[in-house]
Amino acid sequence: MEKILVKKSGPLRGKVRISGAKNAALPILAACLLGTEDIVLEDVPNLKDVEIMMEVLSSLGAEVEKIGLNKIKINAKNINSYETKYQLMNKMRASFLVMGPLLARMKKTVNSLPGGCAIGARPIDLHLKGFRALGAEITEEPGNITASAEKLKGDTLYLDFPSVGATENIMMAAVLAEGETIIENAAMEPEIVDLASFLKKMGAKVYGAGTSSIRIVGVESLKGTSHQIIPDRIEAGTFMVAAAITGGDVLVENCIPSHMKPIIAKLIESGSQVIEYDESIRVIGKDIKPFNIKTLPYPGFPTDMQAQFMSLMTCADGISVTRETVFENRFMHAEELKKLGADISLTGREAIVKGGKELIGAEVRATDLRGGAALILAGLVSQGQTSICDIFHIDRGYENIEEKFRALGAQIERV
């Protein structure tokens, strides 16, 4: 079994280049099923989740070829299946994103229920509500969902919650539907904007991405294109917190500061100095002050950064509070941080962190992707050595994480 070992490290210093965003790459890979010509994607992160999505596309009959370390060529002209394999769907929730494109291209799709991190109930009812609004007939059987439609037709629909996955899936189905589709209360994340940008390069007509109302005018077919994936704002945020928690000085390169506003605001509130440039952010760690966070859909504070900031809270001089409003089971990492000596009490969706206690290295487990990153951050400031197991979660979202941390002076290795 692989583990990541982290020893107490001094202040991290230097620069780190951020990879392409996993949460942008996965829906864009799924959207490649909509085209019938060559598509080239650049800055695709070399991650386990990306590998799984490539396997999904191949299993459906698409030609998928790596033409460089972070470059992929896809041609979905001859896709020949509308059914995704259970063993692939079960590995990763984002594999469900092929449902919209397959419904648009093949008029039918059969999917098993998706897997992924166990951070709470993430129902797919909003996806299905969108497909029904476009005219699809949905059949649910134990473990399987079938959607079919001779012809998709545009409609106006309102999402009860601004779900990122549902917004993406409905967008992808709607680009080949007849007429106009309007998604109200749509998710506004940068990854939605990147998907829309990609679809428009293929010839789709998508308007308003990045706002709460997205309008899609259906077209008959989509062409090939090339596209560079946006930088990963969550990876960028993780390294920004690493600078803050160690009292370091790190330049985070290849990031978009406008995507990072809530993260920047909370780092400043907690005492760090943050300097923004056009495509990079410098974080200089200072004495850590207590602060509070409340997770919200974008442009609010991202739930994917909650765990990392909880690690920062353990080092603050005072009491900090985290309120999680997006996922109901996203405090699993708290129990692992407590193994290092953190003083954290949980009440429902609220965590109260009494900072300032010395952390001491121990055996811990990455309970999910971001929880694993939080444990690395805590390990950097814990006396002795922290041993993290179940690191397959971490590998789902961070490319070359040990190498990047080592380049900044961290004592970290994989064994």
Side-chain angles (χ1 to χ4, degrees):
M1 180 194 294
E2 283 191 322
K3 294 183 178 182
I4 288 178
L5 305 180
V6 188
K7 291 182 180 175
K8 183 167 183 177
S9 306
L12 299 190
R13 301 189 186 281
K15 56 188 179 182
V16 59
R17 186 185 187 277
I18 299 306
S19 301
K22 177 192 83 137
N23 289 339
L26 296 177
I28 286 172
L29 281 164
C32 291
L33 292 170
L34 293 162
T36 56
E37 298 174 4
D38 282 351
I39 293 168
V40 175
L41 301 179
E42 297 184 49
D43 230 354
V44 182
N46 187 24
L47 300 171
K48 190 65 184 173
D49 275 12
V50 169
E51 280 179 30
I52 294 168
M53 185 60 88
M54 290 168 65
E55 285 181 54
V56 170
L57 300 187
S58 295
S59 73
L60 297 169
E63 295 175 20
V64 183
E65 181 187 0
K66 289 193 83 168
I67 54 176
L69 184 61
N70 297 102
K71 202 170 181 178
I72 299 173
K73 184 167 79 171
I74 298 124
N75 189 310
K77 181 180 181 181
N78 297 316
I79 55 172
N80 52 24
S81 174
Y82 52 72
E83 187 167 356
T84 50
K85 295 178 181 176
Y86 168 78
Q87 58 265 38
L88 294 174
M89 291 292 290
N90 192 47
K91 290 180 182 177
M92 180 185 67
R93 180 176 178 81
S95 50
F96 196 73
L97 289 170
V98 300
M99 197 170 186
L102 286 174
L103 186 57
R105 272 289 301 277
M106 306 290 282
K107 311 304 179 192
K108 185 176 181 179
T109 175
V110 180
N111 295 70
S112 55
L113 291 169
C117 282
I119 57 176
R122 297 195 279 181
I124 55 168
D125 55 338
L126 293 179
H127 302 241
L128 304 182
K129 174 183 177 178
F131 298 149
R132 283 193 182 99
L134 297 177
E137 186 176 309
I138 310 291
T139 307
E140 298 186 55
E141 299 165 351
N144 263 351
I145 295 172
T146 300
S148 57
E150 275 307 306
K151 183 177 284 188
L152 294 176
K153 293 191 175 182
D155 198 356
T156 298
L157 62 121
Y158 177 89
L159 295 180
D160 299 324
F161 177 82
S163 160
V164 175
T167 301
E168 292 167 340
N169 231 340
I170 297 163
M171 276 173 62
M172 290 186 283
V175 292
L176 294 180
E178 187 179 283
E180 181 176 276
T181 300
I182 296 174
I183 307 171
E184 299 285 6
N185 198 32
M188 299 189 286
E189 274 72 1
E191 294 78 15
I192 300 281
V193 179
D194 203 32
L195 173 61
S197 171
F198 171 69
L199 291 169
K200 283 155 77 172
K201 287 181 183 178
M202 293 173 74
K205 295 179 179 178
V206 182
Y207 310 94
T211 75
S212 62
S213 181
I214 300 177
R215 184 168 68 94
I216 303 120
V217 179
V219 296
E220 286 193 7
S221 63
L222 296 177
K223 60 185 181 182
T225 189
S226 60
H227 183 77
Q228 183 171 4
I229 305 294
I230 58 169
D232 194 315
R233 62 194 168 98
I234 305 303
E235 185 195 4
T238 301
F239 280 99
M240 289 163 68
V241 174
I245 201 170
T246 63
D249 183 350
V250 174
L251 182 67
V252 179
E253 298 183 317
N254 189 42
C255 65
I256 301 173
S258 63
H259 293 173
M260 315 290 298
K261 288 190 182 300
I263 296 168
I264 291 169
K266 286 299 168 184
L267 283 173
I268 292 170
E269 189 181 325
S270 65
S272 290
Q273 182 182 355
V274 181
I275 305 164
E276 297 179 43
Y277 303 98
D278 287 345
E279 295 181 356
S280 60
I281 300 171
R282 183 182 176 191
V283 178
I284 303 168
K286 308 281 187 182
D287 290 341
I288 303 168
K289 303 172 188 172
F291 60 99
N292 301 334
I293 60 173
K294 179 182 179 181
T295 65
L296 289 165
Y298 190 87
F301 187 90
T303 181
D304 278 356
M305 284 302 302
Q306 178 257 106
Q308 300 91 312
F309 270 86
M310 191 178 288
S311 291
L312 185 64
M313 287 175 171
T314 66
C315 299
D317 184 18
I319 296 175
S320 302
V321 179
T322 294
R323 179 149 181 77
E324 173 62 55
T325 74
V326 180
F327 293 122
E328 76 279 3
N329 194 26
R330 200 148 205 187
F331 283 147
M332 292 186 294
H333 52 274
E335 291 303 318
E336 302 303 309
L337 289 171
K338 284 160 77 171
K339 292 177 185 176
L340 302 176
D343 186 342
I344 303 169
S345 54
L346 303 177
T347 307
R349 290 193 172 204
E350 196 167 86
I352 298 169
V353 183
K354 294 179 182 176
K357 303 280 177 75
E358 183 179 56
L359 301 182
I360 298 171
E363 293 266 346
V364 289
R365 179 176 71 90
T367 53
D368 59 81
L369 167 53
R370 307 306 173 184
L375 292 172
I376 290 177
L377 297 176
L380 294 171
V381 292
S382 297
Q383 294 294 338
Q385 178 172 280
T386 300
S387 174
I388 307 167
C389 66
D390 286 357
I391 60 172
F392 61 89
H393 287 300
I394 299 172
D395 292 339
R396 287 187 43 239
Y398 291 93
E399 183 178 42
N400 303 326
I401 192 163
E402 315 98 80
E403 289 90 337
K404 289 184 177 183
F405 269 113
R406 273 200 299 270
L408 298 173
Q411 295 190 66
I412 181 172
E413 63 175 331
R414 182 181 296 241
V415 294

